[in-house]
Amino acid sequence: HRHARERATLEALAGARTLPELREIVYGPVGDAARRYVDAALLASLSALIHERKVMHLGTDEQGPYQRS
């Protein structure tokens, strides 16, 4: 499941994307109650991809933008 999300995240990063844009592409519509959990999962995935040098963080905060390396 984690690998599928990471693949989906990498595919979504065809261009620079912000966290809200990635959330919409990877997870689809997310209710307010689940948003913080989805964002935490997405940020964990992005952090791993950044550590693996597959993704770059271009912004100054967690909102991004992010793009493939």
Side-chain angles (χ1 to χ4, degrees):
H1 188 268
R2 182 182 69 113
H3 294 291
R5 291 287 183 203
E6 285 184 0
R7 267 194 315 275
T9 301
L10 282 172
E11 289 172 11
L13 288 168
R17 306 266 187 207
T18 63
L19 185 65
E21 291 170 333
L22 286 169
R23 181 191 328 114
E24 180 66 28
I25 294 167
V26 175
Y27 288 89
V30 174
D32 291 339
R35 186 169 293 138
R36 72 179 130 175
Y37 301 109
V38 169
D39 284 356
L42 189 52
L43 286 167
S45 181
L46 286 166
S47 179
L49 292 167
I50 289 168
H51 181 75
E52 295 169 5
R53 299 185 188 272
K54 294 180 181 177
V55 169
M56 295 184 299
H57 180 229
L58 305 175
T60 58
D61 63 17
E62 67 184 13
Q63 295 298 308
Y66 301 88
Q67 89 176 27
R68 269 194 258 178
S69 297

